[in-house]
Each structure stands twice: as C-alpha cells, then as structure tokens.
Amino acid sequence: MTARPPGPRPPGPRPSSGRLLTVIALVAFVSTADNAVLVAALTSIRTDLGLGMAGAQWLGIAYMLTFAGLLPATGPLLDRWGPAGLRAGLALFASASLAAASASDAAVLVAARVGQGAGAAIVVPGTLRLLRTGLPARHRPLGAAVWTAALAAALALGPWLGGVLTQHGHWSWIFLAHLPPLAAAAILLGRPAHDGADPVRTAVPVGPALLAVAASTAVTAAIVGWGQDWSWLPVAVGAAALTTLVRHELRSATPLFPREVVRNSAVLGSVGVLLPWGIGVSGAVYFTPMVHQDAFAQGPVAASLPLVVIAIAVVAATPAVVRMTRWFGVRATVAAGCLVGGGGFLALAGTAHAPDLLSRVPGLVLLGLGAACTAPLTAHPLDTVAGRDSGTVAALLTAAREMAAALGVALLGLVLARNAVADLAHGYATALVVAAALQAVAATAALTLLRPPEQAPP
C-alpha cells in the first residue's frame, strides 16, 4: 500500500445544497442573536463583574466596532482564502464565545467580545458568499430566503432566549449557546472543493481596516468618557487615525472603498440615513432590558419582552413594505418609517415610568413598523452598482449599521447616565426623546439624500 505524500489534504466533494442551506441558517441566526441575547443579560453581568454604565456600554461596543471596522477587509480576505477563511472565522467566533463564557473580569470579557466581532466579520460575508459560490443558481433565491428567515427568527427569539438562559441558568450560558450551532456549521461545511478563490491576485486591505477600527473606537471612547479629564486623548488618537485613513484613500490605487462606490449617490444617501436612524434605534434598544430590570425589578425574561414585540412587528410589516416601496418609492417609504419610529419613541417616553408591558405595546409596535420601512436602504443602493461592487457595497452598508449601533450605545448611554442620577426611568425617557429626534434627522436625510429609483444610474 503506497503512503500518501505529505502536504495539505485535498478538498472534499462539494457539500450538498441542503447542508449549505443549513450552514447559512445557523450562521445567520447566531451572528444576529449575539447582541440580542446580550442585552437581556446586561444587569446580571454588571452585578457579577461589578461593571458601571461604561462597562456595560463597552460589552456591546467592542463587538460592534470590531465587526464594522473589519468588514471591508474580510470580503477580499475571503476571496483570497475561499472556504478556508470561513472555517477560520467559525473557529475564531467559537473560541471567543468560549472565552466570554469563562470570563471572570470585565477586561477579559471585553477582549472576548472583540474576538467575537472579528469572527462575525468573517463568517457573515463568508456565509453570504456561499450563496454565490456554493449553491447552484436555482437554489440561490431559496438561500436568500433562508438567510432572511433566520435573521427574523434571531431578532424575535434572541432577547427572549437571552432572558431565559440568564434567568434559569447563568449569563455565561448566552455565550455557551453559540458553540453547538457554530460546531454544526463547521461540520456541515466540511472541506468543500475550490470555489474560485485567488490567493495571488486578491488584495486584502488589512491596514486601512485597522485604521478604521482605531478611528471609530477612539471617537466612541471620547463619547463614553465625555467630561472626563482623559477624554481629549481618544479625540487626538481618532483624529490621527482618521487623517491617515483619508490620506490613504485619496492616494492609494487600491483604496479600502472603491472610488466608484464612494461617489455613488444612492450608496452615500443610504449611509447618510442609516447613521442617525441606527444611532437612535440601536442605542435605545440596547438599554431597554437593563432599565426594566434595574428600575422595575423585573426578571430577565419579562424585561426582554419589549424587544420581542418590536421584532414581531418588524417581521409582520416586512411584506407590506415591499408593496409600499413599489407604490410610493424608496424616499417616501424610508422617510415615513423614520417618522413612525420617532412617534414610537415618543410614545415610549411617555410611558417610561410604567412597569407594565401593555401600556408600552403601541409605542413598541410603531417602532417595529418604522424599522421595517428602512429595509429599502439595503436593496436600493445594491440596485445601482455594478455586480462586481455588490459585495463591497453590502459590506459598507453592514459596517454603517454596526457603526451606528456602537455610536448609539455610546451616545444614548451618556444621555441615560447623565439624566438618571435620581431616577433611572427619567434618564431612560430622556434617551428615548433623543432617539426620536434622531429619527427626525434620518427622515430629513431620506428626503434630501435618497434619489428616486427612476433617477438611479443603471
């Protein structure tokens, strides 16, 4: 019997469509549910680790900023590594989740959250890449539907699941729960055949991506530490990193964001709306379960129910949004959604001192309906760019959402802390009013920046 010569193992056969669809569903659910389950456990984590408000903020910000900042680099990285890059991302996400579950102090937990963010920045675009490189053409629409359904399920079940795990077990379980689906995804993926990755020709802009992470982290740190003696330091670091990044983008032949994408008015318009919208929505949502637990002494399950109501409203309204966009156009649909969401925030601010869920349902439903109407912010710019740039634009839009979420946690956390000295519910109400104002800014940006579909370039 002849021994196999040393060297890397050859790739196995292409996984079946059923296996790849399962991988897509598992990764979509875990990556979306990660922050959703965390918010339900914030109070328990703060109590166990002795965290203040800033510590609670960084648990979310560390994940969001790393995810957002590395996304522009992971697309080319996956084009170079192919399926091996996705397997590495799954391993990184799982290892970081295990480290988070084992953390006994805040620094280790925040570091683990950075690792989870880096893993998510690889597995999310890597899994979406499977839609194009792994599935036959006839199954790609089904793959997109599976991805969307898994996202909706994570949004609806994530907060409740985090509450159940925390209330009936321990907060570490929210991270341990990531391990089985990630392991199953890695096993189902196997060692697929070569899928067109080019390790020679694909450039990976790691340096510019790290500059983007540094700049965004510094700006966020300055917001979190606003008024502190050291708050000037992250401002200086952020300004230096941002200046270096801008110089690179202007001079480099291979910028982080291709110039044809940066100059696209539909892309810039969507990003301009996503930022104020996401800052308001994500910041308010992040602190909702914590406020319900700390101010009204509710358990993690009951405190997470408001987010479940929002998610159900989003899922229920999404089919109608498709028709609204067709009838009224992108600008009107998105602007109306932002205004409806702002009305929901104002309604919630008026009931901020009421501990019962029933009085909050109208505001929560309005917020969910408004959030559903922002769905065209992703589809509209993708319809205006060439196919070769679709991955870059998708990464940019996802990064903008995560960046807005991190800034929202920082800004609304600052508002909440500054106005909750004597009454946490009062600080929460003030933060909701700020979130409503940001929705008005987003609506104005939608009417000003978004171009009607008939004027979009081919």
Side-chain angles (χ1 to χ4, degrees):
M1 182 176 179
T2 304
R4 185 173 65 89
R9 289 186 297 163
R14 181 183 296 273
S16 66
S17 294
R19 290 171 62 182
L20 290 182
L21 289 172
T22 305
V23 170
I24 289 169
L26 290 171
V27 172
F29 186 90
V30 171
S31 60
T32 304
D34 185 82
N35 266 331
V37 297
L38 172 70
V39 296
L42 274 180
T43 294
S44 299
I45 296 174
R46 290 178 63 202
T47 301
D48 277 6
L49 302 185
L51 296 179
M53 178 64 74
Q57 290 171 274
W58 280 109
L59 291 181
I61 291 171
Y63 176 90
M64 298 168 185
L65 287 183
T66 308
F67 187 8
L70 294 182
L71 267 176
T74 53
L77 183 70
L78 289 159
D79 287 337
R80 171 178 287 191
W81 286 357
L86 178 54
R87 290 195 297 272
L90 291 170
L92 176 58
F93 204 138
S95 300
S97 298
L98 182 60
S102 308
S104 58
D105 63 76
V108 173
L109 184 54
V110 170
R113 294 288 290 161
V114 170
Q116 285 184 303
I122 298 173
V123 300
V124 169
T127 305
L128 289 173
R129 191 174 182 273
L130 287 178
L131 291 175
R132 175 64 181 83
T133 63
L135 292 175
R138 67 182 185 278
H139 289 160
R140 287 171 197 160
L142 177 60
V146 168
W147 177 269
T148 303
L151 295 182
L155 289 172
L157 297 177
W160 174 82
L161 181 61
V164 169
L165 293 174
T166 303
Q167 184 166 319
H168 299 291
H170 187 262
W171 60 262
S172 61
W173 288 16
I174 68 171
F175 300 115
L176 292 175
H178 293 344
L179 300 182
L182 291 172
I187 292 171
L188 290 171
L189 184 64
R191 297 180 59 82
H194 178 73
D195 66 351
D198 190 338
V200 177
R201 297 182 60 188
T202 305
V204 181
V206 174
L210 293 178
L211 283 173
V213 173
S216 56
T217 302
V219 170
T220 308
I223 297 173
V224 173
W226 187 264
Q228 301 292 329
D229 293 339
W230 49 264
S231 59
W232 63 270
L233 180 59
V235 173
V237 172
L242 184 60
T243 300
T244 305
L245 177 61
V246 170
R247 291 180 62 185
H248 171 273
E249 292 295 283
L250 292 176
R251 298 179 179 182
S252 175
T254 56
L256 186 61
F257 302 110
R259 292 180 176 86
E260 58 269 26
V261 170
V262 174
R263 294 168 183 163
N264 186 298
S265 60
V267 175
L268 293 182
S270 292
V271 171
V273 178
L274 278 172
L275 289 176
W277 176 83
I279 290 172
V281 171
S282 300
V285 165
Y286 187 80
F287 293 106
T288 293
M290 186 188 76
V291 170
H292 281 68
Q293 292 182 63
D294 292 354
F296 305 130
Q298 294 181 351
V301 175
S304 66
L305 290 179
L307 303 188
V308 176
V309 175
I310 295 174
I312 292 174
V314 170
V315 174
T318 297
V321 171
V322 177
R323 292 191 292 272
M324 288 177 59
T325 305
R326 190 181 306 121
W327 294 339
F328 305 113
V330 172
R331 283 199 302 182
T333 301
V334 173
C338 293
L339 293 176
V340 169
F345 278 127
L346 292 177
L348 291 173
T351 60
H353 288 79
D356 62 294
L357 176 63
L358 188 60
S359 64
R360 303 174 191 271
V361 168
L364 295 169
V365 170
L366 286 175
L367 182 54
L369 296 178
C373 290
T374 63
L377 291 175
T378 299
H380 173 58
L382 286 172
D383 288 340
T384 67
V385 297
R388 66 179 182 276
D389 294 323
S390 58
T392 300
V393 172
L396 176 60
L397 295 173
T398 305
R401 287 181 184 272
E402 291 295 322
M403 189 72 67
L407 292 174
V409 172
L411 178 61
L412 268 69
L414 177 66
V415 173
L416 175 62
R418 293 293 177 89
N419 292 275
V421 177
D423 184 357
L424 183 59
H426 173 71
Y428 180 57
T430 306
L432 292 173
V433 171
V434 173
L438 287 165
Q439 301 312 292
V441 173
T444 303
L447 294 173
T448 305
L449 301 178
L450 293 180
R451 299 174 61 181
E454 62 270 18
Q455 296 180 10

